[in-house]
Amino acid sequence: FKMGSETDELERHGDEDPVRKVTISKAFYLSKFEVTQEQWMVIMGENPSVFTDKPNWRNHPVDNVSWNDCQYYIEKLNAMDLGTFRLPTEAEWEYACRAGTSTRFYWGQDSSNVELHQNAWGFSRAEGRSHPVGLKKPNNWNLYDMSGNVWEWCADWRGPYLESDTLDPKGPKNGASKIYRGGSWFNEPAALRSANRHGHPPDTRGTNAGFRLVLEINDVDN
């Protein structure tokens, strides 16, 4: 797939180019929904989230978790011998988000943002909070909330894109910030675009940051 944004994309940022062909060589499963507060509690025995004041809070995405917190969750989950779970690479995330599209959003160009709120929780109609997963329209591969609701941590350190076509990119070997993607309930449309990139130090927590999981396909019985 082609990763990044063309220079004429509306509201693009300067770290989204060059657009280049990225090949993902290994199949993987990506969770249909963001990890919920209930799922976090089952593994961790506690809930760090801020948005716990609604009757259906258990189905809201977990929030207020750092990249480091996600690693601890994954470590405990993997110890249960259910398979090998991890965060997606940035390339895997954008590949899954786009779901075969090359437009500004996975639902189309939507240059006037008239379709945005049918597809994503974002500013200004998210009421200043996260919402239960799966309420908006999914992308073409039946993945929900790839745009909006909460940012989703990825495995990679943040760094510039390579200029050439790339096989299974994993970002730089080290850095100051870990990538997270997708925008959130707090963000305006520019941040919810499929190519948008952002990041924070791995110990940063925020009320609009969560994650979803990859299950490595070699660990799934046929």
Side-chain angles (χ1 to χ4, degrees):
F1 78 108
K2 288 186 177 180
M3 186 172 180
S5 67
E6 301 289 353
T7 56
D8 61 352
E9 181 169 305
L10 181 65
E11 298 180 309
R12 73 182 297 274
H13 297 152
D15 62 349
E16 298 167 8
D17 58 12
V19 175
R20 78 269 195 241
K21 182 180 178 181
V22 169
T23 300
I24 307 292
S25 68
K26 295 181 180 180
F28 63 97
Y29 286 109
L30 186 69
S31 50
K32 186 174 182 177
F33 306 111
E34 295 160 331
V35 172
T36 65
Q37 294 183 33
E38 182 171 37
Q39 289 171 323
W40 182 275
M41 290 172 64
V42 167
I43 301 300
M44 305 299 284
E46 50 82 32
N47 186 8
S49 303
V50 171
F51 298 114
T52 60
D53 60 341
K54 296 293 183 181
N56 53 1
W57 60 267
R58 292 176 182 271
N59 291 326
H60 285 235
V62 67
D63 65 77
N64 204 33
V65 291
S66 69
W67 188 91
N68 290 336
D69 295 333
C70 296
Q71 299 307 307
Y72 188 36
Y73 175 93
I74 291 168
E75 180 182 342
K76 295 190 71 171
L77 179 60
N78 284 340
M80 299 175 69
D81 199 28
L82 300 172
T84 302
F85 296 87
R86 58 176 173 82
L87 294 178
T89 66
E90 184 178 19
E92 288 171 336
W93 189 96
E94 186 169 326
Y95 171 72
C97 176
R98 288 189 177 280
T101 66
S102 59
T103 46
R104 184 169 171 247
F105 303 106
Y106 51 77
W107 56 88
Q109 293 291 22
D110 198 9
S111 298
S112 299
N113 305 318
V114 295
E115 299 177 52
L116 188 141
H117 298 294
Q118 301 172 32
N119 292 274
W121 293 110
F123 185 86
S124 61
R125 298 190 193 173
E127 301 172 349
R129 61 170 54 248
S130 71
H131 292 263
V133 299
L135 296 183
K136 297 294 187 176
K137 293 180 180 179
N139 71 6
N140 290 339
W141 293 349
N142 212 32
L143 301 171
Y144 289 82
D145 300 307
M146 294 296 292
S147 288
N149 219 5
V150 292
W151 288 96
E152 299 177 14
W153 288 107
C154 294
D156 303 25
W157 291 105
R158 188 177 187 181
Y161 284 157
L162 299 176
E163 294 188 5
S164 58
D165 293 350
T166 312
L167 175 68
D168 297 325
K170 293 185 178 179
K173 292 183 178 179
N174 50 59
S177 296
K178 287 289 186 177
I179 286 286
Y180 67 11
R181 288 293 213 109
S184 77
W185 56 264
F186 179 80
N187 296 104
E188 298 191 6
L192 276 61
R193 294 173 302 107
S194 298
N196 182 62
R197 312 175 73 206
H198 199 39
H200 277 297
D203 59 352
T204 301
R205 297 185 178 98
T207 59
N208 61 340
F211 68 112
R212 74 177 71 216
L213 292 169
V214 162
L215 173 61
E216 295 188 353
I217 203 166
N218 292 339
D219 292 313
V220 178
D221 293 334
N222 293 323

